[in-house]
Amino acid sequence: MKKTFLTTLVLCAAINTACSPELGLQLAVPNLPEPQSAIEASAATSPTKVKVGKFVDARTSQTIATIDGRSVRSEGPLGDVVEEGFTRYLRQAGAHIAILNAPMIDGEIVEWQARIKPSFPSSDATATAKLRVVVRDSKSHPLYRATFSGEATASHPLLDEESIQKLLAQAMGSAIEAAVKNEEFLAQISSGRVE
């Protein structure tokens, strides 16, 4: 009887551990994926020029993932990942990325976090991202402010560090994609050039 109970206990612990993602104390986020849906190139007669400025990490906490109540801090400059993502997504939308005499976008990372719930037979994870974006004219005067959000979910028996990173990248990619597909956002960039 004792042997059966001990065997069952060890088996339950092994199964529970196998379903729980292994994350260290810090987690770096990789570059953002390609947009989840096609971004149409601008139909404007003259291509839009835009500068991509700095995106500041304005999150209230440095926690980028929470797994079963344990916090995992972000590693590396998250703003660089967002800036690179905006640059790539805007290019795909037909914009020319400029360094001088062009409207500029910049902003803040308000939220970027994954919540992982270990379970059997599979663990569930949800990643959310939120950006505050400012469009400025070519003289740096603010023209437009908006908040864009994105989300990604996954359920898998073996969620690992790489899959959590991918989920976080997808959530932020969705937020940037929402901005780049927003007609008012694009219109403000187009009208922001001051000769």
Side-chain angles (χ1 to χ4, degrees):
M1 182 77 166
K2 264 186 174 179
K3 189 175 183 180
T4 305
F5 176 72
L6 185 58
T7 304
T8 304
L9 190 61
V10 168
L11 183 60
C12 287
I15 289 171
N16 200 19
T17 304
C19 295
S20 179
E22 289 296 318
L23 294 178
L25 299 175
Q26 291 189 318
L27 182 67
V29 179
N31 289 333
L32 303 183
E34 291 304 313
Q36 293 178 13
S37 57
I39 296 177
E40 296 294 325
S42 174
T45 53
S46 60
T48 303
K49 283 176 62 176
V50 64
K51 289 191 290 186
V52 178
K54 291 287 178 198
F55 278 82
V56 178
D57 186 356
R59 297 173 301 149
T60 56
S61 167
Q62 294 302 304
T63 298
I64 197 154
T66 306
I67 176 167
D68 209 17
R70 182 174 66 87
S71 295
V72 178
R73 294 174 55 88
S74 56
E75 178 184 311
L78 300 184
D80 291 352
V81 175
V82 172
E83 291 157 27
E84 186 276 332
F86 258 113
T87 299
R88 207 160 26 93
Y89 284 34
L90 283 165
R91 272 196 184 118
Q92 188 167 347
H96 289 295
I97 305 303
I99 54 171
L100 296 171
N101 196 27
M104 180 175 79
I105 62 162
D106 58 33
E108 298 176 331
I109 301 167
V110 179
E111 180 185 352
W112 200 359
Q113 186 175 32
R115 290 172 185 81
I116 303 103
K117 294 179 183 170
S119 186
F120 181 80
S122 64
S123 296
D124 297 322
T126 302
T128 53
K130 187 183 288 186
L131 292 169
R132 249 186 299 232
V133 182
V134 179
V135 176
R136 301 177 190 277
D137 67 19
S138 56
K139 302 287 187 191
S140 293
H141 301 117
L143 296 174
Y144 174 77
R145 296 174 197 273
T147 301
F148 298 98
S149 301
E151 185 176 283
T153 59
S155 183
H156 196 275
L158 298 172
L159 281 175
D160 59 4
E161 185 171 316
E162 185 179 337
S163 58
I164 301 302
Q165 289 173 315
K166 182 179 177 183
L167 197 65
L168 284 160
Q170 287 173 341
M172 184 56 76
S174 297
I176 294 173
E177 187 176 339
V180 173
K181 287 184 170 183
N182 183 282
E183 289 181 15
E184 191 172 358
F185 171 78
L186 293 174
Q188 292 295 333
I189 292 173
S190 295
S191 66
R193 187 165 182 180
V194 178
E195 298 297 335

